[in-house]
């Protein structure tokens, strides 16, 4: 999948909210850029490095160290299937298979129209709800392949309205 073009104007508007040359702003800048763009494109990181006066390699190092930062484009919606032990034994692999089939992508990928990213995670500490799917930040416990299929179907319907 090729990355969508980066709107440098949006990047610069985010950077303008942070004082130039202040290295202590680094994490805040990365958070704000990701909130704006849904991921951290290379061009945005390069501009941020020059704005903050830090070496690009340092900025890339920080962005890749923290799991919460994403260097690949992500969809408008995020569907996360928990594959931790408790969810796994309660059928999480079938949920991933269902979502992969419905969306035509593999876990870790984004649909070509950039509408949805399918991810997996290893336990978010809500094991009693398993198998668990987190859809745009909302927890859906005791998930079944049918319910997940309907959730994904709703999204496809919205997109065609
Ligand atoms: S294993 Fe899924 S929330 Fe813990």
């Amino acid at each position: 999948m090729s990355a969508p073009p980066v709107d440098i104007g949006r990047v610069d508007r985010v950077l303008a909210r942070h004082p130039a040359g202040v290295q202590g702003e680094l994490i805040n800048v990365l958070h704000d850029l990701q909130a704006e763009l849904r991921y951290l494109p290379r061009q945005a990181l390069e501009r941020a490095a020059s704005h903050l006066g830090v070496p690009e390699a340092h900025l890339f190092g920080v962005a890749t160290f923290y799991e919460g930062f994403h260097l690949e484009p992500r969809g408008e919606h995020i569907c996360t299937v928990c594959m931790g032990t408790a969810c796994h034994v309660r059928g999480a692999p079938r949920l991933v298979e269902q979502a992969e089939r419905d969306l035509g992508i593999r876990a870790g990928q984004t649909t070509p129209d950039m509408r949805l990213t399918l991810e997996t995670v290893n336990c978010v500490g809500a094991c009693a709800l398993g198998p668990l799917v987190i859809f745009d930040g909302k927890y859906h416990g005791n998930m079944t392949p049918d319910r997940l299929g309907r959730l994904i179907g709703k999204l496809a319907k919205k997109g065609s309205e």
Side-chain angles (χ1 to χ4, degrees), residues 82-88 122-127 130 132:
C82 179
M83 290 291 276
T85 307
C87 289
H88 195 279
N122 285 320
C123 190
V124 293
C127 309
L132 178 72

Side-chain angles (χ1 to χ4, degrees), residues 110-151:
T110 300
T111 55
D113 62 3
M114 299 303 293
R115 272 185 70 72
L116 192 139
T117 298
L118 177 64
E119 295 178 341
T120 59
V121 71
N122 285 320
C123 190
V124 293
C127 309
L129 298 176
L132 178 72
V133 167
I134 307 168
F135 210 97
D136 288 340
K138 188 172 173 209
Y139 284 35
H140 298 266
N142 301 311
M143 185 54 78
T144 64
D146 278 358
R147 275 179 59 213
L148 183 56
R150 284 199 294 276
L151 259 182

Side-chain angles (χ1 to χ4, degrees), residues 74-97:
R74 297 177 93 217
E76 198 183 323
H77 301 279
I78 309 292
C79 178
T80 308
V81 181
C82 179
M83 290 291 276
T85 307
C87 289
H88 195 279
V89 296
R90 293 181 190 165
R94 283 191 302 125
L95 298 176
V96 174
E97 281 165 26

